[in-house]
Amino acid sequence: ETGVTQTPRHLVMGMTNKKSLKCEQHLGHNAMYWYKQSAKKPLELMFVYSLEERVENNSVPSRFSPECPNSSHLFLHLHTLQPEDSALYLCASSHGQGGTEAFFGQGTRLTVV
Amino acid sequence: SQQGEEDPQALSIQEGENATMNCSYKTSINNLQWYRQNSGRGLVHLILIRSNEREKHSGRLRVTLDTSKKSSSLLITASRAADTASYFCATDVSNFGNEKLTFGTGTRLTIIP
């Protein structure tokens, strides 16, 4: 659809588990992003990667750990999450040159129990 | 802090009518973008308007931008049931390099057949 694929689409994990979210794009984009969408809140930008280097981290707790091994793949490693971390996690990519649109994946619906 | 704020939060109209959504923001921007999100899915880019533009059209969409009032509007003409979704404005304040999009909480649009 948009060219950005996220897996899994749904994830239920306990507070002591470790899991990873995956995002993949083959649009030739240089920048990739993680957003968190909670009910009745604006989308929160979590991390920005440009050419595989992290350029922004918006004060995200260390229980969220991003990884960008190459410009096409982005991961979000999760460990010892809290129930309030339950949300829709969205990955996006863009050309990264400013002034262009972002392409979003379908998101991973995360539930922490 | 939240940059874009949509108004109204929810809107229900009859199919065939026009739908207007507004967005207000706080700081200077390079461009403003509108996105659409179907329930629980990723965001899809609709239209981008640059800070030196006042109006832009794309199919049944018309976007206006008033930088003096720091506001934008999205008009969907001849609405269809398939237009039912949440609509978000996003402000881009990046000067160069990566897009830095800040989203509002969105307008939930329901088209009644």
Side-chain angles (χ1 to χ4, degrees), chain B residues 11-47:
Chain B
L11 178 63
S12 292
I13 60 173
Q14 293 291 134
E15 191 169 18
E17 294 180 341
N18 295 341
T20 299
M21 289 159 272
N22 302 297
C23 170
S24 59
Y25 57 92
K26 297 174 183 174
T27 65
S28 296
I29 61 172
N30 296 308
N31 66 73
L32 185 143
Q33 305 180 27
W34 284 90
Y35 287 79
R36 165 199 168 119
Q37 183 181 34
N38 287 74
S39 181
R41 300 176 72 87
L43 279 72
V44 176
H45 180 265
L46 295 176
I47 197 165

Side-chain angles (χ1 to χ4, degrees), chain A residues 35 42-43 45, chain B residues 1-4 89-93 100-104:
Chain A
Y35 283 87
L43 266 76
L45 178 63
Chain B
S1 62
Q2 182 177 329
Q3 167 75 316
C89 68
T91 50
D92 181 3
V93 298
K100 184 173 181 179
L101 296 177
T102 305
F103 289 82

Side-chain angles (χ1 to χ4, degrees), chain A residues 4 8 10-11 13 18 33 57-59 64 75 77 89 99:
Chain A
V4 179
H10 301 272
L11 178 63
M13 61 185 288
K18 289 184 180 181
Y33 312 79
N57 170 1
N58 282 350
S59 303
F64 295 91
F75 295 89
H77 303 299
Y89 288 84

Side-chain angles (χ1 to χ4, degrees), chain A residues 1 31 33 35 37 41-43 48 50 55-56 88 90 94 96-102 104-106, chain B residues 2 31 33 35 37 40-45 48 50 88 92 94 96-101 103-105:
Chain A
E1 299 189 3
Y33 312 79
Y35 283 87
Q37 186 177 33
K41 285 186 177 180
L43 266 76
V48 180
S50 175
V55 297
E56 185 144 350
L88 182 67
L90 292 163
S94 70
Q97 296 172 359
T100 63
E101 66 196 84
F104 282 81
Q106 295 294 338
Chain B
Q2 182 177 329
N31 66 73
Q33 305 180 27
Y35 287 79
Q37 183 181 34
R41 300 176 72 87
L43 279 72
V44 176
H45 180 265
L48 181 154
R50 303 192 186 282
F88 296 86
D92 181 3
S94 56
F96 57 90
N98 308 99
E99 285 73 35
K100 184 173 181 179
L101 296 177
F103 289 82
T105 51

